[in-house]
Amino acid sequence: MGLKVKKKNKVALIFGVTGQDGSYLVEFLLKKNYTVYGIKRRSSSANTQRIDHIFDSIDFKNNNFFIEYGDVTDSSSIFNVINNIKPDEIYNLSAQSHVRVSFDIPEYTANSTALGALRILEAIKSLKLYKTKFYQASSSEMFGKQKTNKSQNENTKFHPMSIYGVSKVFAHNTTILYREAYGIFACNGILFNHESPRRGPNFVTKKIAQGLVRIKLKKQKVLRLGNLYAIRDWGHAKDYVESMWKIMQFKKPDDWVIATNYEISVKKFINLCAKKLKIDLVWKNKGIKEVGVDKSTNQIIIKIDKKYFRPGEVDYLKGNYTKARKQLNWKPKYNINSLIDEMIKSELDFHE
Ligand code: NAP
Ligand code: GDD
């Protein structure tokens, strides 16, 4: 009988582990038997709520999950952590990821979202870790302003409409450069919007689900929103982290669009949530005066607030993920209905 050699676990390093995607990716990788290191930045209050459950969950009993301090605006912390761990796979999910906020803190956004990726790639290069694979969290926000409402794929031209989008284009192109110039296994996942109960509260889907549930339970009177007519292709973060891993296992490094190919407006998203909560919502007026009224009480429950408008807006995003479907054998399991059901249920459970 031949000797059974236990294969060493693969080691992954995640920048942005405390975020929505980071938390799902840790769970996914631990289930695949990886040893996972996550980088958290220093903050004055706890920023590990999305991952705390992993440490004592029986689902991850045999886990190998470690947290280190670091910051993608600090080259030395990146260099040291990569040098110490020498991971097989690095996932760069860190970013100042809010598009509206990027107009308010442009320099910091560029530093973390654009230069963060460069710093990690430079560390891989200078440490000569040519076996380490690199994943960059690219974004559909890079497509920005499009001339027609056609779905976007890997060949669609970028026209970013925010500092966040511009920063992501820099990181995306830098990833391609380090692949082509230095032979690093460096990939871009161009992910369209993806949501979940763990979504940050100032992104529109979470804000709507949270707000309408609170209104239904009479804990909030009005929900204030910006542009109701932007159209997005919304998927579930759980599905999308699986695509990240598949991208890293593909035979060669490449760039991939990940989406659902189903688009709806912010307004339609509100209508779907209201219907699931049995709120009889009707819309009145136009433009900045548009309001959503609860027909059963005749109360205004949705108002438009100019402060949520952006200096540059992206009107239409719909992804064509044919390449990922055919070559990675990836497709989303959730649809817009199951996504909303899960988000609403989680908000209702929170108030129980
Ligand atoms: P998120 O919830 O905002 O998470 C961002 C993560 O980056 C958090 O862990 C955050 O830490 C960390 N971070 C921010 N600044 C950092 C710094 N200076 N140093 C180290 N870490 C830092 O975003 P997400 O929705 O999970 O998205 C993950 C990535 O995918 C982001 O890069 C985002 O831009 C990109 N993306 C997201 C979507 C989407 O629809 N969700 C679509 C396309 C691309 P804290 O927890 O301390 O804030
Ligand atoms: N956040 C927010 N808050 N957005 C609003 C609001 C509001 O009150 N009202 C309307 N919107 C509109 C925005 O103008 C935008 O057109 C749309 O809702 C979606 O906004 P967000 O949920 O903030 O997402 P995003 O599309 O700007 O950016 C997200 O997706 C990108 C991928 O395309 C983020 O996750 C980015 O990090 C990601 O790259």
Side-chain angles (χ1 to χ4, degrees):
M1 230 166 70
L3 185 69
K4 256 196 180 168
V5 180
K6 198 174 170 222
K7 217 176 146 222
K8 200 177 134 272
N9 291 1
K10 271 195 189 169
V11 177
L13 171 61
I14 305 175
F15 289 90
V17 74
T18 55
Q20 170 188 252
D21 292 6
S23 67
Y24 284 113
L25 183 61
V26 180
E27 293 177 354
F28 180 88
L29 293 175
L30 288 175
K31 285 194 171 154
K32 291 239 170 259
N33 251 345
Y34 275 65
T35 296
V36 182
Y37 290 83
I39 299 303
K40 75 164 180 176
R41 58 181 175 157
R42 201 268 157 186
S43 65
S44 67
S45 54
N47 59 356
T48 53
Q49 298 90 332
R50 292 184 178 107
I51 49 174
D52 285 338
H53 66 281
I54 296 173
F55 289 101
D56 46 24
S57 160
I58 34 171
D59 289 344
F60 306 104
K61 203 170 172 187
N62 301 315
N63 77 47
N64 253 328
F65 179 34
F66 307 95
I67 296 285
E68 305 280 342
Y69 274 108
D71 195 302
V72 291
T73 62
D74 179 313
S75 298
S76 61
S77 68
I78 293 174
F79 188 91
N80 288 334
V81 80
I82 294 178
N83 193 25
N84 289 340
I85 295 167
K86 299 196 172 53
D88 298 295
E89 298 172 9
I90 297 179
Y91 294 84
N92 179 28
L93 312 184
S94 69
Q96 188 303 92
S97 74
H98 201 282
V99 173
R100 174 69 189 85
V101 173
S102 77
F103 291 99
D104 302 326
I105 47 169
E107 198 175 318
Y108 175 73
T109 300
N111 194 4
S112 53
T113 307
L115 294 182
L118 172 70
R119 292 187 184 103
I120 298 169
L121 284 160
E122 260 302 297
I124 296 173
K125 187 196 97 190
S126 2
L127 289 163
K128 300 191 171 39
L129 297 176
Y130 294 114
K131 285 193 179 145
T132 297
K133 297 180 179 180
F134 174 79
Y135 173 91
Q136 168 58 20
S138 278
S139 164
S140 51
E141 180 70 16
M142 300 187 303
F143 295 121
K145 190 182 198 166
Q146 297 288 310
K147 289 200 181 90
T148 56
N149 281 3
K150 276 209 280 190
S151 59
Q152 296 102 17
N153 68 16
E154 293 80 3
N155 302 317
T156 306
K157 212 174 150 206
F158 299 144
H159 188 140
M161 288 298 290
S162 60
I163 285 295
Y164 170 82
V166 170
S167 302
K168 283 289 182 186
V169 171
F170 175 91
H172 180 93
N173 287 334
T174 302
T175 300
I176 295 173
L177 177 69
Y178 275 62
R179 177 165 83 215
E180 294 180 350
Y182 304 116
I184 294 172
F185 193 107
C187 317
N188 287 298
I190 309 172
L191 272 50
F192 281 61
N193 297 50
H194 46 281
E195 320 296 310
S196 73
R198 297 183 195 170
R199 186 59 142 152
N202 58 356
F203 294 94
V204 80
T205 57
K206 177 78 174 183
K207 195 173 160 185
I208 293 166
Q210 199 170 56
L212 288 184
V213 165
R214 285 173 58 82
I215 287 168
K216 179 78 185 173
L217 300 177
K218 301 201 183 332
K219 296 188 176 199
Q220 181 173 331
K221 283 190 173 152
V222 178
L223 172 62
R224 292 171 201 279
L225 294 165
N227 178 11
L228 302 181
Y229 295 94
I231 290 172
R232 291 289 182 275
D233 173 336
W234 278 295
H236 194 301
K238 221 185 223 179
D239 282 338
Y240 286 35
V241 300
E242 184 195 13
S243 77
M244 296 176 188
W245 178 77
K246 286 198 159 192
I247 286 169
M248 294 284 257
Q249 312 316 309
F250 194 64
K251 56 184 184 251
K252 63 180 179 63
D254 207 341
D255 309 316
W256 308 85
V257 160
I258 300 296
T260 71
N261 197 236
Y262 179 78
E263 85 282 30
I264 60 168
S265 66
V266 172
K267 192 169 176 178
K268 175 98 187 277
F269 191 94
I270 299 170
N271 288 337
L272 289 174
C273 290
K275 199 167 169 203
K276 286 184 193 286
L277 285 165
K278 299 194 171 46
I279 298 174
D280 198 358
L281 182 67
V282 289
W283 294 94
K284 293 187 177 163
N285 309 331
K286 291 263 174 282
I288 194 85
K289 294 204 168 120
E290 185 161 14
V291 288
V293 175
D294 181 342
K295 225 173 137 190
S296 66
T297 59
N298 217 21
Q299 295 292 310
I300 292 177
I301 57 167
I302 295 171
K303 283 187 177 175
I304 305 300
D305 190 330
K306 269 202 300 208
K307 87 170 176 211
Y308 298 115
F309 287 132
R310 297 160 181 202
E313 177 62 290
V314 173
D315 297 320
Y316 183 89
L317 290 177
K318 177 182 179 181
N320 176 344
Y321 67 97
T322 307
K323 178 175 164 183
R325 183 171 51 76
K326 288 191 174 159
Q327 297 187 38
L328 297 178
N329 195 22
W330 177 88
K331 65 173 192 248
K333 298 180 187 79
Y334 281 83
N335 61 27
I336 193 71
N337 273 307
S338 48
L339 168 67
I340 292 178
D341 282 344
E342 196 180 301
M343 291 183 77
I344 297 275
K345 180 178 180 311
S346 142
E347 295 306 321
L348 288 167
D349 288 351
F350 176 79
H351 291 285
E352 264 195 352

